[in-house]
Amino acid sequence: MTSRVRIGVQLQPQHSPDYALIRDAVRRAEDIGVDIAFNWDHFYPLSGDPDGAHFECWTMLGAWAEQTERIEFGPLVTCNSYRNPELLADMARTVDHISGGRVILGIGSGWFERDYTEYGYEFGTAGSRLDALGEALDRIDSRMAQLNPPPTRRIPVLVGGGGERKTLRHVAAHADIWHSFVDVETYRRKAAILAEHCAAVGRDPSAIERSAELKGRKNIDDLLRFADDITAEGVGLLTYAVSGPDYDLSTLERLVAWRDAREG
């Protein structure tokens, strides 16, 4: 028997001037059997026309909470800099209740400078943003414990990134899911470093689900070979990204079939 692998899709909220295209993509993703639907937390497209159509992250997630019935969903990832941590905790708790307990709080330190400058946030440095992330994760935990009503469950926290000194330390202290952009060799090295951080805080590293991005493969066969290789290392969540306006989910259908064949 092999452990179950979950399949995620990141529906990038860019280049879709008609929101109905995104709504339809979410419906199709749930229908084909995807486990998790993610968006992202930016204010401008990251590829294609830099001034193309784009929508905001968390208001969209509230809509997904009502639209979907089975799948989990969340941001991959929300930028810590854009919202007060107490407010973010309350937002996640509210979407958790709307969805009946299916939201995932993906969070990272932020990196896209245009978002910061155009919306009036202080960009700082990579180090200062990572320090702020650690402080925010503590504050989010504290606020979650004070909210009335409380979340329907412990909302899973996904921390994205692979920085070995700070990010992985935040993962060890706070994350239920660690999301990374890695090849197999890089994953092995960073997983060993994460285990060291876990030991420092007295946490079992196996309690943290491992998540990897599926991209940069020449074709579906290469992608499935990578999926076989990275899941053999213990990664249990694989996410494939698609962009507007078409949101082609044909690769996701192949990934879901691959997942189901593993379980068969």
Side-chain angles (χ1 to χ4, degrees):
M1 293 292 290
T2 56
S3 59
R4 186 175 191 275
V5 170
R6 301 197 291 170
I7 300 298
V9 58
Q10 185 186 53
L11 301 170
Q12 299 171 346
Q14 61 177 5
H15 307 309
S16 294
D18 182 353
Y19 178 73
L21 297 168
I22 299 175
R23 182 188 300 114
D24 175 70
V26 175
R27 177 192 58 76
R28 289 187 287 121
E30 187 165 50
D31 286 348
I32 67 174
V34 166
D35 297 289
I36 305 173
F38 294 107
N39 61 5
W40 68 25
D41 191 15
H42 294 288
F43 306 132
Y44 298 93
L46 299 186
S47 61
D49 179 1
D51 294 314
H54 201 281
F55 288 104
E56 194 275 331
C57 170
W58 276 94
T59 44
M60 182 182 299
L61 293 175
W64 290 8
E66 286 283 11
Q67 178 189 345
T68 58
E69 297 180 355
R70 175 188 58 80
I71 57 174
E72 291 186 294
F73 60 94
L76 190 61
V77 290
T78 202
C79 176
N80 172 63
S81 306
Y82 301 160
R83 299 163 193 86
N84 169 284
E86 285 75 16
L87 172 61
L88 181 59
D90 205 342
M91 291 167 62
R93 181 281 309 253
T94 299
V95 176
D96 168 70
H97 274 265
I98 295 169
S99 67
R102 293 182 289 116
V103 74
I104 293 172
L105 177 52
I107 190 167
S109 60
W111 62 273
F112 188 42
E113 188 169 4
R114 184 184 183 189
D115 283 348
Y116 285 78
T117 56
E118 298 256 11
Y119 277 64
Y121 298 103
E122 181 181 350
F123 189 56
T125 66
S128 68
R129 294 193 300 275
L130 282 165
D131 291 341
L133 174 62
E135 177 189 351
L137 287 164
D138 286 332
R139 290 168 60 183
I140 289 168
D141 285 344
S142 177
R143 180 56 53 179
M144 287 289 189
Q146 300 175 56
L147 292 170
N148 183 17
T152 65
R153 60 172 180 168
R154 172 181 162 78
I155 297 174
V157 172
L158 178 155
V159 173
E164 297 173 6
R165 188 168 65 89
K166 292 185 177 182
T167 302
L168 292 181
R169 175 160 51 85
H170 297 331
V171 171
H174 295 281
D176 302 286
I177 307 169
W178 167 42
H179 181 77
S180 56
F181 304 83
V182 290
D183 57 32
V184 171
E185 291 301 321
T186 302
Y187 171 78
R188 288 174 181 164
R189 180 171 57 81
K190 291 186 181 291
I193 294 168
L194 175 60
E196 294 173 2
H197 285 298
C198 286
V201 298
R203 190 171 183 203
D204 181 355
S206 68
I208 302 170
E209 183 178 8
R210 314 305 170 91
S211 170
E213 190 86 4
L214 293 174
K215 67 176 185 178
R217 309 295 155 180
K218 295 180 180 179
N219 53 51
I220 185 64
D221 292 331
D222 284 346
L223 186 147
L224 292 177
R225 277 192 290 271
F226 174 71
D228 282 328
D229 292 342
I230 200 72
T231 54
E233 299 294 323
V235 172
L237 171 58
L238 302 175
T239 298
Y240 185 80
V242 295
S243 186
D246 55 332
Y247 293 105
D248 180 1
L249 302 186
S250 57
T251 297
L252 268 299
E253 292 175 336
R254 292 286 302 274
L255 284 166
V256 168
W258 168 85
R259 178 203 66 195
D260 293 346
R262 282 173 51 94
E263 298 174 8

